[in-house]
Amino acid sequence: EARAEGGPLADKVVEQVTVMRDEVDRYLDRARLATDRKVIGAVADVRRSLEGLSRVLSRAYPDRNLHLEGEGAGHPKARIERRDLEELVGNLMDNACKYGREQVRILLSIDRTDRDRPMVEVRVEDDGPGLPPSAYAEVLGRGKRLDEPQPGSGFGLAIAAAIAGTYGGSLGLDRAGLGGLAVTFRIPLS
């Protein structure tokens, strides 16, 4: 809007936004480098983290039914620092609670189709409005938001995708069985 308006105040707003974006990029790059150094040997108990996050978010969103599924998966250990796992999955679960209407489902499984690289998979689904597939790539970009009235920076999914990539994992979006958005996080099994 500032670019469209023009004038000294608009120019100052554009200048300050550019400075802030550069700072955010610098801190994200620094965090990524720090994470790269600690990737080797990192191991986290995925179920334990999911259970803890579910307890916290159930209190924060008492009107949402959070349900963790995947008893057959046991307590898989993944190659990721616990804090990074909890930041990543906590962001996904918080988004699902924020945009879901009543239901949030977290599915934990192990994909052993590639014997040389089995993966732990965490799928977070909600019953909210979801997103059109054409918007998936856009919301994974830094600072991209399609919901301006909601609080937040627009960096959550981009940070989650960056953390996943740092550990050799991935993040994908698709339609949830509950009707809203599903975000699937995959990370190598330890």
Side-chain angles (χ1 to χ4, degrees):
E1 287 180 25
R3 283 188 187 111
E5 290 293 318
L9 178 60
D11 292 344
K12 191 64 168 173
V13 169
V14 170
E15 174 190 318
Q16 291 302 306
V17 167
T18 302
V19 168
M20 287 186 287
R21 173 150 293 174
D22 290 346
E23 283 295 302
V24 168
D25 287 345
R26 187 168 65 87
Y27 282 109
L28 287 173
D29 291 340
R30 183 183 295 167
R32 193 174 300 113
L33 289 172
T35 301
D36 285 344
R37 287 193 293 273
K38 63 184 179 182
V39 166
I40 297 173
V43 176
D45 181 327
V46 179
R47 178 177 296 282
R48 183 175 177 191
S49 291
L50 292 177
E51 288 170 347
L53 289 165
S54 293
R55 281 191 298 275
V56 169
L57 288 169
S58 289
R59 287 191 294 271
Y61 296 95
D63 57 335
R64 299 294 186 270
N65 178 16
L66 268 79
H67 183 67
L68 174 60
E69 296 180 12
E71 291 302 316
H75 278 263
K77 308 286 190 282
R79 289 189 221 155
I80 187 170
E81 286 285 333
R82 180 187 56 81
R83 278 187 265 171
D84 288 339
L85 171 69
E86 290 176 359
E87 178 181 357
L88 189 159
V89 179
N91 185 320
L92 303 181
M93 292 169 66
D94 184 57
N95 280 351
C97 288
K98 191 184 314 179
Y99 297 107
R101 293 183 182 102
E102 295 176 4
Q103 302 284 332
V104 174
R105 181 169 49 201
I106 303 100
L107 303 149
L108 173 62
S109 62
I110 299 173
D111 180 359
R112 297 183 189 275
T113 52
D114 181 347
R115 285 187 302 138
D116 296 329
R117 191 165 187 231
M119 304 291 276
V120 176
E121 188 172 285
V122 178
R123 182 176 172 91
V124 180
E125 301 183 338
D126 66 61
D127 63 349
L131 292 172
S134 60
Y136 293 169
E138 184 177 354
V139 297
L140 289 173
R142 286 185 187 175
K144 300 295 183 185
R145 300 193 55 202
L146 302 179
D147 63 338
E148 292 302 327
Q150 287 284 355
S153 64
F155 286 93
L157 286 175
I159 291 171
I163 292 171
T166 298
Y167 289 98
S170 63
L171 196 73
L173 307 176
D174 64 355
R175 190 95 174 128
L178 295 174
L181 185 65
V183 184
T184 303
F185 164 57
R186 293 172 50 86
I187 191 79
L189 184 66
S190 179

